[in-house]
Amino acid sequence: MSAVTGFKRLALAVGALVLGVFGALAVVSFLIPKDHVREAVKSEIKAATGLNPLLRGDVSVSLFPSGQVALTDVALGEDMAEPPLHAARLVARLSFLPLLMGRIDIADITLENPRIILAMDERGRSNWARLISSLGRAVEPEAPSFSEIRINNGTLIVRDDFHKIYEVVSHADLSLAWPAISRSFAATGHVRYRGEPLEIGVTLANFNAALQGERSTLKARVGGALFKFTFDGAVATRPTLKIEGATSADSPSLRRALLWLGKKPLPGGGFERMSLKAQANVVGGTVALSQVNLELDGNAAEGVLTFAADGRQTLQGTLAVDHLDLTPYLSTVRLLTSTEREWSRTRLNLDGLATADFDLRLSAGKVTIGSTSLGRTAIATNLRGGKLGVSIGESRGFGGVIRGSLGLAKSEHGASFTSQLQFDGVNLERCIGDIFGVKRIEGRGNMTVTLEGSGPNVYALTRTLNGEATLTANKGALTGMNVEQLLRRLERRPLSGGNEYRTGRTPFEQLAVNLTITDGKISVEDVTLRGTAVRLAMIGEASIPSRDLDMKGVATLVAAGANAKPFELPFAVQGPWDDPLLLPDAHILIQRSGAAAPLLEALRARREQARQPPATPAAQPVMPMIREAAPAAVSPPLVRDSDAPAVSPVPATGLSPAEEPQPDVTSGAREAAMPPDRDKESAAGVGTPLQPDSATEATTRAPAKP
């Protein structure tokens, strides 16, 4: 017989044997009693896990091509109204060699469409307590075990009646590696939580010790598109839950992750990119994080954090950061409209303040808020019951020191705001400009601001503001006006004007401001400016909602000599507070004018005469009287009236004849034709901006017609 023929016969024999074995197994699968298989599988599960399964459905046995037993309607906890575990189908794969010897050994189990319920009653008792206790007392190390338990399309329901928690994890495809009850346990796979797929990995070095509540090494990993978490440490549950080890968390958007977890939207902006690394120590319901390295929106901080989950969730801690940029968190806050002229009327949403409670202390080497930069800062933030409080222990800002507190809370009116701030030795131009948007004061000084108000939006809040403010400064200047130059010009030429009051600066030695705020209206109780050449005193009102001013004051030009009389000029300040209009008292200026004062007196006399009833019914026409008034205003006898100062060839002011003010013919004519109401306004001191000096000189130097 040739070798080829021998190999062919051997192959045929082996093939026939294999076919015979598989055929025999196929036949035996129909001959094995199903009740025997059911009891054998039930005994194997109980021996491996210590749990007594309830097999309520049909049983099917298949030994070809591989040995397996399929059972339907399987549950654990037969004496419970709601079983902790229920599977639509359980498939047990049988070991091949023991099966040939007539023994049924389960190699692994697959649970299809299982429903796992983890429930806690109001007393904190779990429905898995008894089952886990049975699993922990399972058997000796040599007892049979499964190499793997697979879960296909499972659902996990977590219901905590004590903490009012109800969560569902669906589409669970997990593999539970279970080589032996006394050795390691691992669970890996995928689940879906709140619509997001997650990858899960959990490893226990000593599963039996963990079930008994003893210390065991634990490694956990949860990863998804919105959140990633890892832990490497140890866990024990006796006498209380204790976890310690290294942990890390990462999220591309903390704001979206919190929304995904069911938290309310955080107010403001920011809270995007987040990374956390720390040493975790969990005792009971308290999580303590030490050696914290936290990065949030580009801010890197170090310190310690404590999170308490007992009752209301509370976060406490102390963090230190080199550079703290608060701009992202205030990016959505709009105090003004896009035109920067009116307060915003967008609704203030503070629902996010009720997400959790926290008490954090922060120290920063530098703080940035938009275009404003502060130096070394120490603050404490407290959020409790939806009320946010910020206490500024000390902040080096605007060249000085800032202290005080800020408060923000949700109220029945929408939002409630409070502030108590103290600024010591600050640069007033930068400070007032950055906070209020008004840059009118140079120098250093002290400022206090106390405010409180409420409303659904910023505009409504400004209408309810109440409080007070003070400001004191030394050796500074008012910018945007040169009061000294204007006063000297008006003293020399009362009817001249110009735009000098809108340019330049007014130096001062002392400045004091006292304000009282009631329902959004500012009462300017006292504004006093003292300089070497000028003094100012002002009172009046200002409106915060409309952002305008209505004030009156007196500007005094300090006399050069002790016996000289100072020049005083009443004035009014009106208009928007970022660009107000200065209005000198026109009545006073006309009275000081040697040429125009007689015209004003003559006009008053004419009007008094016109108000008296005429002697005859035939009234004289008005226009001839006006035409007569104009020539009379410039006639030499009227100019040289004994009530008016005489015009001498050598002016008393020391100016040349060319520079000496001349009678304003046009102005005199206009005054003569001015209606009574217009004269009342001028006499009351509410004047109009004076004409430019060039136009005035051109008018006054025109030759008067006889």
Side-chain angles (χ1 to χ4, degrees):
M1 186 188 318
S2 63
V4 175
T5 303
F7 279 114
K8 288 182 178 180
R9 292 181 178 180
L10 179 61
L12 291 175
V14 173
L17 178 61
V18 172
L19 291 176
V21 171
F22 282 107
L25 293 175
V27 174
V28 171
S29 63
F30 292 100
L31 299 178
I32 296 178
K34 294 183 178 180
D35 292 340
H36 174 70
V37 174
R38 180 199 302 268
E39 294 301 325
V41 172
K42 183 176 180 179
S43 177
E44 283 288 317
I45 295 176
K46 183 176 181 179
T49 65
L51 305 177
N52 191 18
L54 177 62
L55 310 178
R56 298 179 292 190
D58 297 333
V59 178
S60 62
V61 181
S62 174
L63 302 180
F64 182 83
S66 62
Q68 68 177 22
V69 178
L71 302 95
T72 58
D73 196 3
V74 179
L76 291 178
E78 56 183 347
D79 57 344
M80 297 183 181
E82 187 178 32
L85 186 148
H86 177 269
R89 189 166 182 262
L90 183 150
V91 178
R93 189 171 62 86
L94 305 179
S95 300
F96 183 74
L97 293 178
L99 185 61
L100 293 179
M101 294 182 290
R103 190 175 75 248
I104 295 178
D105 286 345
I106 299 177
D108 56 57
I109 290 178
T110 300
L111 298 176
E112 296 182 358
N113 301 320
R115 179 183 176 90
I116 304 171
I117 300 176
L118 177 60
M120 303 284 291
D121 60 17
E122 295 181 353
R123 298 181 179 180
R125 296 176 302 184
S126 171
N127 63 335
W128 277 84
R130 188 172 59 181
L131 298 176
I132 292 178
S133 178
S134 300
L135 184 61
R137 299 192 306 266
V139 287
E140 295 79 7
E142 61 271 12
S145 62
F146 310 140
S147 62
E148 185 180 17
I149 298 178
R150 289 189 296 271
I151 297 177
N152 293 338
N153 194 28
T155 301
L156 172 63
I157 299 175
V158 179
R159 186 177 66 240
D160 188 344
D161 296 335
F162 180 76
H163 295 96
K164 309 300 180 184
I165 297 175
Y166 185 86
E167 298 290 349
V168 177
V169 178
S170 61
H171 299 83
D173 295 323
L174 301 174
S175 175
L176 312 180
W178 201 338
I181 192 67
S182 61
R183 291 187 291 179
S184 64
F185 168 84
T188 58
H190 299 82
V191 299
R192 183 176 290 272
Y193 177 63
R194 295 180 180 268
E196 290 289 336
L198 298 176
E199 182 180 354
I200 294 179
V202 178
T203 302
L204 283 169
N206 192 329
F207 188 43
N208 189 34
L211 293 176
Q212 298 296 332
E214 300 176 0
R215 180 184 175 89
S216 175
T217 301
L218 171 65
K219 293 184 179 180
R221 173 177 50 84
V222 180
L226 293 177
F227 186 76
K228 294 181 180 179
F229 171 81
T230 61
F231 176 81
D232 187 357
V235 60
T237 59
R238 185 180 297 176
T240 184
L241 177 64
K242 185 176 182 180
I243 303 175
E244 55 184 3
T247 184
S248 64
D250 184 87
S251 175
S253 175
L254 180 60
R255 179 179 295 274
R256 292 174 54 199
L258 292 176
L259 288 175
W260 168 63
L261 292 174
K263 304 299 182 181
K264 294 182 179 180
L266 295 173
F271 296 101
E272 294 298 331
R273 175 67 180 172
M274 186 275 295
S275 177
L276 172 68
K277 295 181 180 180
Q279 287 290 353
N281 190 349
V282 181
V283 178
T286 303
V287 181
L289 301 178
S290 59
Q291 303 178 26
V292 173
N293 288 283
L294 174 64
E295 292 186 12
L296 181 61
D297 297 318
N299 299 313
E302 298 179 352
V304 295
L305 294 172
T306 302
F307 181 77
D310 294 338
R312 184 170 177 83
Q313 300 174 351
T314 304
L315 178 65
Q316 297 178 327
T318 301
L319 296 174
V321 58
D322 291 335
H323 181 197
L324 179 61
D325 188 1
L326 298 178
T327 305
Y329 313 105
L330 302 176
S331 59
T332 60
V333 179
R334 294 288 184 270
L335 297 180
L336 299 176
T337 59
S338 58
T339 60
E340 300 293 331
R341 292 292 182 182
E342 297 180 353
W343 298 108
S344 173
R345 303 191 184 214
T346 304
R347 178 180 176 272
L348 296 173
N349 187 0
L350 303 181
D351 293 338
L353 294 180
T355 301
D357 294 343
F358 65 77
D359 185 2
L360 296 177
R361 291 167 295 279
L362 300 173
S363 60
K366 180 181 179 182
V367 178
T368 301
I369 307 175
S371 59
T372 302
S373 295
L374 304 178
R376 187 176 68 253
T377 302
I379 62 176
T381 60
N382 180 274
L383 176 61
R384 185 173 299 276
K387 297 181 179 180
L388 175 63
V390 179
S391 298
I392 305 174
E394 180 177 295
S395 178
R396 299 286 180 176
F398 308 111
V401 179
I402 305 173
R403 298 182 179 88
S405 63
L406 298 171
L408 185 64
K410 185 178 179 179
S411 65
E412 59 181 2
H413 302 291
S416 177
F417 171 78
T418 61
S419 71
Q420 293 181 348
L421 298 176
Q422 179 179 346
F423 303 83
D424 296 331
V426 296
N427 184 312
L428 295 175
E429 183 178 24
R430 290 174 49 202
C431 182
I432 299 178
D434 289 354
I435 297 177
F436 302 104
V438 179
K439 295 185 177 181
R440 292 288 184 179
I441 304 177
E442 292 182 352
R444 294 184 175 276
N446 303 328
M447 184 171 59
T448 61
V449 178
T450 302
L451 292 174
E452 62 177 13
S454 61
N457 51 55
V458 176
Y459 173 75
L461 192 148
T462 61
R463 295 170 60 91
T464 63
L465 284 178
N466 295 286
E468 57 184 15
T470 63
L471 183 149
T472 59
N474 296 319
K475 296 187 181 302
L478 295 180
T479 61
M481 62 181 67
N482 191 331
V483 178
E484 179 184 1
Q485 181 179 356
L486 177 62
L487 290 179
R488 293 192 183 280
R489 187 183 190 90
L490 295 178
E491 181 186 30
R492 187 172 63 248
R493 299 172 182 168
L495 297 184
S496 67
N499 295 325
E500 290 83 355
Y501 65 92
R502 303 178 68 90
T503 59
R505 56 197 301 271
T506 302
F508 62 79
E509 295 295 322
Q510 294 179 347
L511 174 64
V513 179
N514 293 307
L515 311 176
T516 300
I517 305 169
T518 304
D519 294 333
K521 294 183 179 180
I522 303 176
S523 297
V524 183
E525 298 179 350
D526 178 32
V527 176
T528 303
L529 180 146
R530 296 180 180 274
T532 56
V534 174
R535 294 181 181 178
L536 291 177
M538 298 174 60
I539 58 172
E541 294 181 349
S543 174
I544 298 178
S546 58
R547 297 166 56 85
D548 57 18
L549 301 172
D550 185 8
M551 303 174 61
K552 294 182 179 180
V554 177
T556 303
L557 186 63
V558 179
N563 298 326
K565 184 179 180 180
F567 173 55
E568 295 183 351
L569 176 65
F571 64 91
V573 179
Q574 298 176 349
W577 62 22
D578 54 349
D579 189 21
L581 189 64
L582 179 64
L583 304 173
D585 191 327
H587 183 210
I588 298 298
L589 294 178
I590 293 176
Q591 285 183 337
R592 292 186 60 88
S593 173
L599 300 179
L600 180 61
E601 295 298 331
L603 179 61
R604 288 179 177 175
R606 294 275 187 174
R607 286 178 177 168
E608 291 295 334
Q609 182 179 1
R611 292 191 182 100
Q612 296 178 1
T616 59
Q620 295 182 358
V622 178
M623 293 305 297
M625 182 174 61
I626 296 178
R627 285 194 299 268
E628 293 176 2
V634 295
S635 61
L638 184 59
V639 173
R640 292 181 176 86
D641 194 284
S642 59
D643 294 335
V647 179
S648 60
V650 180
T653 58
L655 300 176
S656 62
E659 295 178 347
E660 180 66 14
Q662 301 296 327
D664 189 345
V665 178
T666 306
S667 176
R670 285 199 302 267
E671 292 290 347
M674 184 181 298
D677 293 341
R678 181 75 174 271
D679 183 63
K680 290 181 181 179
E681 295 179 0
S682 300
V686 182
T688 57
L690 299 179
Q691 299 294 328
D693 183 60
S694 58
T696 304
E697 292 181 357
T699 304
T700 55
R701 292 177 182 178
K705 297 180 180 181

